[in-house]
Amino acid sequence: MAKANKRTSLADLAKELGLANSTVSRALNHASDVSDATKAQVWALAEKLHYQPNSLAAALRKGRSNVLGVIVPHINGAFFPAVVHGIEEVASKAGFNVMICQSTEDVDREKKHVEALLKAQVDGILVSMSNTTRDYAHFERVRSQGTPLVFFDRMPALPDACGVVVDDYLGAYQVMEHLIEQGCRRIAHFAGPQILNTTYDRFRAYQDALKAHGIPYREELVVHLPGSSTTAGMTAMQQLLQLPERPDAVFSAYDFPAGGALQLLEDYGIRVAEDIALVGFSNEPFTTMIKPRLTSVDQHGTLMGETAVELFLQLLKRAEPLSSRRIVLKPQLVVRDSSLYGQPAFHKQA
Amino acid sequence: MAKANKRTSLADLAKELGLANSTVSRALNHASDVSDATKAQVWALAEKLHYQPNSLAAALRKGRSNVLGVIVPHINGAFFPAVVHGIEEVASKAGFNVMICQSTEDVDREKKHVEALLKAQVDGILVSMSNTTRDYAHFERVRSQGTPLVFFDRMPALPDACGVVVDDYLGAYQVMEHLIEQGCRRIAHFAGPQILNTTYDRFRAYQDALKAHGIPYREELVVHLPGSSTTAGMTAMQQLLQLPERPDAVFSAYDFPAGGALQLLEDYGIRVAEDIALVGFSNEPFTTMIKPRLTSVDQHGTLMGETAVELFLQLLKRAEPLSSRRIVLKPQLVVRDSSLYGQPAFHKQA
DNA sequence: GAAGTTTACACAATGGTTTGTGGAGATTGG
DNA sequence: CCAATCTCCACAAACCATTGTGTAAACTTC
């Protein structure tokens, strides 16, 4: 009665049955070249001994681990969790395990995680870049090894990069057209880090939309946020309120700062929607809970995660030089009370 | 100029340098029994050839994968993402990769994920049970294999189960005492599934607190939620409003239903806080964004994740029969406007 | 009934690393 | 100068499953 903690291996089954390892393996897997009788024997014993195949050994031999690596900047807010949700859903269905890492917006940790995932022989890596990533050498390494690499949401400006993003430019442009349609003319912008394609595109759309509608671009109406927190939005709003002339709308690159601005405006007795329109970006759950409900842009996080995995699966099939594919999802402008300029937003009747 | 896509292995280094595999291995690892000169040689060549150790092979040989499996019911809301955040943080720091799975509240998927993780030779499993889990055979299997098993938040009623939970009973009891202190006497409860220790404890505390303060328990004031959504809370509130006598407080086992109730009450012109106190549970981000701000209970999700990993690391060290340890975190009642019964909650000045 | 095909399995190599053992050469001590 | 000790490294087994090849026996076919 020793420890006997050792898991039963395929070889144990073989020895017990007087078969060769290969026969047992074939009996358990593709199962050609082995009689139904022995198949039954093998399966019965496997069941009885609680045999569990060792994925590591199989992966080592087959050169395929069925593990998918994922690197996200963080797991805060609603967006990235939604993406992870979608990723896990589809990956799991396709027989893949998901290894998750967060870079915490730190390129060094991002690099380390890439290394660790490659060492773990993952079959592919899904990554949304940190906002401190400047060079892409660590990503090049992945591709040069032949490991499928799929970006999502935040992707580098490389011509041959695969990924799935949402059309931030379009989403932001729609926001702007909506605001202009509402009669807003002094539209302010809370900008995110310009190094990221996402927030950069939102800013670009802000500028282009102004231009297209003959509205002059005023630098003083753009506040670069230090983060995406509520308080960041409050101080940004405070800054705007100190201008000689108040903006009549604010388009924030994130939802939480918009929420902060909303709170601050309330404290100042300035009525959101009636006096100043407010729009966020991301469609966080709280946007439907607050008063007035916040107009925002949905990024389809779950769909993005699902699509990213499907793209990965495609890359995995073809051993070809990984044709660069970029899938662009359409964002959805969700108009709610906060952007209906000039109209009383509170107590709108059902 | 063939494909040459093959990654360079330890054996390649050995051959190139005319050394034995063992020497190269020792040079790269603990590095005793090998001269500094050859160590340098090995490292130099490893660098030059971009050698990346194959974790799978190492894990297979060492019987240790440095992978931690995590099973969560889902990745929605703020709580579970926070836990995952904490888990990844500490696990990563300890040199572990994290494999994440969601059961989607489906015990069958939970079982499959347990199987998959064991096959993947994970060094331990962290799990928060699905609400459809009735028997714990699949968990017993894990422990019988000697794989450390740590529950978090939702754990089974087994005497020898390890895990980290928050004291839901205490949190809920504090909610009740707070409400009673505010003068509430007809306190309603939105109850979660009674199969889960968490929501069961919240309900139990609700009952006990009433009893302790000589307030009769009224069955009609308890609504069992079909889910934890906003709409679930709205219909539950609607149901309560049809009672001959209105409750003067609602303690919801989740935040979102409380938010839904708040919206419904507003539609009916019933003032939250003034006319009816409202308390949720989980301290979702939206609780601070809405008006009135929602009183809630913080579950310290991130801390829970961190603690769970630390508990796992302890279990991993000792090969002993895994002493059952249950770590209980203190929840934090966060009193905000919505529960200040009788007081006007809106426009409270700063 | 001989030649050719199929069936069902065994043998052995393979994947990449770790680790116990052993041994040649260099060093030290008496 | 010989024995004892150390250094530094090689050899080979082990981890566990997969897979190409080889080979008996059973079967088909004319």
Side-chain angles (χ1 to χ4, degrees):
Chain A
M1 201 99 44
K3 270 262 240 37
N5 236 351
K6 240 168 73 41
R7 318 207 209 295
T8 62
S9 73
L10 182 145
D12 295 335
L13 300 183
K15 198 179 298 177
E16 181 88 9
L17 291 171
L19 292 172
N21 289 0
S22 53
T23 307
V24 176
S25 174
R26 283 185 245 264
L28 293 172
N29 297 343
H30 39 73
S32 84
D33 251 28
V34 50
S35 72
D36 289 345
T38 41
K39 250 186 266 188
Q41 272 194 333
V42 171
W43 276 101
L45 188 66
E47 200 73 22
K48 180 182 159 202
L49 264 53
H50 296 318
Y51 168 66
Q52 278 187 327
N54 186 325
S55 304
L56 293 187
L60 179 60
R61 177 63 232 255
K62 295 203 288 193
R64 192 137 183 287
S65 62
N66 274 4
V67 173
L68 181 57
V70 175
I71 305 177
V72 292
H74 53 75
I75 318 186
N76 305 324
F79 176 67
F80 285 114
V83 177
V84 172
H85 170 87
I87 289 174
E88 201 279 339
E89 196 73 23
V90 176
S92 177
K93 212 153 281 178
F96 282 82
N97 282 330
V98 175
M99 239 175 216
I100 194 165
C101 320
Q102 36 185 354
S103 64
T104 62
E105 306 284 16
D106 175 356
V107 65
D108 290 325
R109 291 187 60 171
E110 185 175 271
K111 286 179 187 171
K112 280 193 185 129
H113 281 135
V114 167
E115 292 289 321
L117 290 176
L118 289 178
K119 286 201 282 195
Q121 313 295 115
V122 295
D123 291 337
I125 297 183
L126 270 49
V127 47
S128 194
M129 291 194 310
S130 91
N131 64 26
T132 56
T133 302
R134 296 293 178 274
D135 78 304
Y136 312 128
H138 49 305
F139 295 136
E140 285 301 337
R141 290 264 315 266
V142 176
R143 301 228 347 188
S144 72
Q145 291 208 4
T147 302
L149 178 62
V150 175
F151 292 93
F152 57 92
D153 196 51
R154 303 177 177 184
M155 62 186 298
L158 295 175
D160 54 349
C162 292
V164 40
V165 295
V166 77
D167 194 337
D168 286 275
Y169 184 90
L170 175 63
Y173 206 97
Q174 288 176 343
V175 167
M176 291 301 291
E177 288 202 311
H178 166 65
L179 286 174
I180 292 167
E181 209 167 277
Q182 298 294 310
C184 301
R185 286 301 174 270
R186 279 183 64 79
I187 305 175
H189 181 50
F190 291 174
Q194 292 305 297
I195 192 73
L196 293 178
N197 55 309
T198 55
T199 40
Y200 173 70
D201 284 351
R202 293 171 205 173
F203 185 30
R204 212 159 45 81
Y206 165 79
Q207 296 170 301
D208 290 357
L210 287 180
K211 195 176 194 177
H213 288 80
I215 304 175
Y217 170 76
R218 297 179 194 282
E219 200 162 347
E220 70 269 21
L221 290 180
V222 174
V223 184
H224 289 272
L225 297 169
S228 56
S229 67
T230 308
T231 53
M234 294 179 71
T235 59
M237 194 67 234
Q238 190 108 43
Q239 184 178 327
L240 287 179
L241 289 182
Q242 282 164 0
L243 291 177
E245 198 181 345
R246 205 167 69 194
D248 54 16
V250 176
F251 164 38
S252 170
Y254 301 113
D255 273 337
F256 279 102
L262 189 143
Q263 288 183 14
L264 190 87
L265 288 168
E266 215 157 60
D267 287 350
Y268 276 76
I270 303 171
R271 295 163 303 179
V272 171
E274 281 190 86
D275 301 333
I276 184 170
L278 217 54
V279 180
F281 208 106
S282 274
N283 206 21
E284 290 276 342
F286 83 82
T287 56
T288 69
M289 315 282 294
I290 62 178
K291 282 280 179 182
R293 299 184 309 154
L294 185 64
T295 295
S296 190
V297 178
D298 194 283
Q299 301 179 88
H300 306 299
T302 301
L303 177 61
M304 185 180 290
E306 295 168 347
T307 311
V309 175
E310 279 159 10
L311 183 49
F312 152 72
L313 291 173
Q314 286 180 19
L315 293 183
L316 197 61
K317 263 191 246 167
R318 59 183 69 230
E320 299 163 39
L322 312 184
S323 63
S324 96
R325 269 196 70 188
R326 169 189 294 247
I327 298 177
V328 181
L329 303 178
K330 287 241 172 308
Q332 189 184 1
L333 173 64
V334 184
V335 176
R336 300 198 181 92
D337 311 327
S338 72
S339 62
L340 305 182
Y341 184 55
Q343 301 178 29
F346 285 84
H347 306 293
K348 70 187 258 285
Q349 249 322 57
Chain B
M1 203 102 40
K3 268 261 240 31
N5 237 350
K6 237 166 74 39
R7 319 206 209 294
T8 61
S9 73
L10 182 147
D12 295 335
L13 300 183
K15 198 178 298 174
E16 181 88 8
L17 292 171
L19 292 172
N21 288 1
S22 54
T23 306
V24 176
S25 175
R26 283 185 244 264
L28 293 172
N29 297 343
H30 40 73
S32 84
D33 250 30
V34 49
S35 72
D36 289 346
T38 41
K39 250 186 264 185
Q41 272 194 333
V42 171
W43 277 101
L45 189 66
E47 199 74 22
K48 180 182 158 199
L49 264 53
H50 295 317
Y51 168 67
Q52 278 187 325
N54 186 326
S55 305
L56 292 187
L60 178 60
R61 176 61 233 252
K62 295 203 289 193
R64 193 136 182 287
S65 62
N66 273 9
V67 173
L68 180 57
V70 175
I71 305 177
V72 291
H74 52 75
I75 318 186
N76 306 325
F79 176 66
F80 284 114
V83 178
V84 172
H85 170 85
I87 289 174
E88 201 278 338
E89 196 73 23
V90 177
S92 176
K93 211 153 282 178
F96 282 81
N97 282 330
V98 174
M99 239 175 214
I100 194 165
C101 320
Q102 36 185 355
S103 64
T104 62
E105 305 284 16
D106 176 355
V107 65
D108 291 326
R109 292 188 60 172
E110 184 176 273
K111 286 180 185 170
K112 279 192 184 131
H113 281 135
V114 168
E115 292 289 321
L117 291 176
L118 288 179
K119 285 201 283 194
Q121 312 296 114
V122 296
D123 290 338
I125 298 183
L126 270 49
V127 47
S128 194
M129 290 194 311
S130 91
N131 63 24
T132 56
T133 303
R134 295 293 177 273
D135 78 305
Y136 311 129
H138 50 304
F139 296 135
E140 284 301 336
R141 289 265 314 267
V142 176
R143 303 229 344 187
S144 72
Q145 291 209 4
T147 302
L149 178 62
V150 175
F151 293 93
F152 59 92
D153 196 51
R154 303 177 176 183
M155 62 185 299
L158 295 175
D160 53 351
C162 291
V164 40
V165 294
V166 77
D167 193 337
D168 288 274
Y169 184 89
L170 176 62
Y173 206 96
Q174 287 177 342
V175 166
M176 291 301 290
E177 288 201 311
H178 166 65
L179 287 174
I180 292 167
E181 208 166 275
Q182 298 294 311
C184 300
R185 287 301 174 271
R186 280 184 63 81
I187 306 175
H189 181 50
F190 291 173
Q194 292 305 296
I195 192 71
L196 293 179
N197 54 309
T198 54
T199 39
Y200 173 70
D201 283 351
R202 294 173 204 172
F203 185 31
R204 212 159 45 80
Y206 165 78
Q207 296 171 302
D208 289 359
L210 287 179
K211 195 175 192 179
H213 288 81
I215 305 174
Y217 170 76
R218 297 180 193 282
E219 199 161 349
E220 69 270 22
L221 289 181
V222 175
V223 184
H224 289 272
L225 297 169
S228 55
S229 66
T230 307
T231 52
M234 294 180 71
T235 58
M237 194 67 235
Q238 190 108 44
Q239 185 177 327
L240 287 180
L241 289 182
Q242 281 163 0
L243 292 177
E245 198 181 344
R246 205 166 71 193
D248 55 17
V250 175
F251 165 39
S252 170
Y254 301 112
D255 274 335
F256 280 101
L262 189 144
Q263 289 182 13
L264 191 87
L265 288 169
E266 214 157 62
D267 287 350
Y268 276 77
I270 303 171
R271 294 164 303 179
V272 170
E274 280 190 86
D275 302 333
I276 184 169
L278 216 54
V279 179
F281 208 105
S282 274
N283 206 20
E284 291 276 343
F286 82 82
T287 55
T288 69
M289 314 282 295
I290 62 178
K291 284 279 179 180
R293 298 183 311 153
L294 185 64
T295 294
S296 189
V297 178
D298 194 282
Q299 300 178 91
H300 306 300
T302 302
L303 177 63
M304 185 181 289
E306 294 167 348
T307 311
V309 176
E310 278 159 10
L311 183 49
F312 152 72
L313 292 173
Q314 286 180 19
L315 293 182
L316 197 61
K317 262 191 247 169
R318 58 183 70 228
E320 299 164 40
L322 311 186
S323 64
S324 95
R325 270 197 69 189
R326 170 188 294 245
I327 297 177
V328 181
L329 303 178
K330 288 244 172 306
Q332 187 183 0
L333 173 65
V334 184
V335 176
R336 300 198 181 92
D337 312 326
S338 72
S339 62
L340 304 182
Y341 183 56
Q343 301 179 29
F346 285 85
H347 306 293
K348 71 188 257 286
Q349 249 323 54

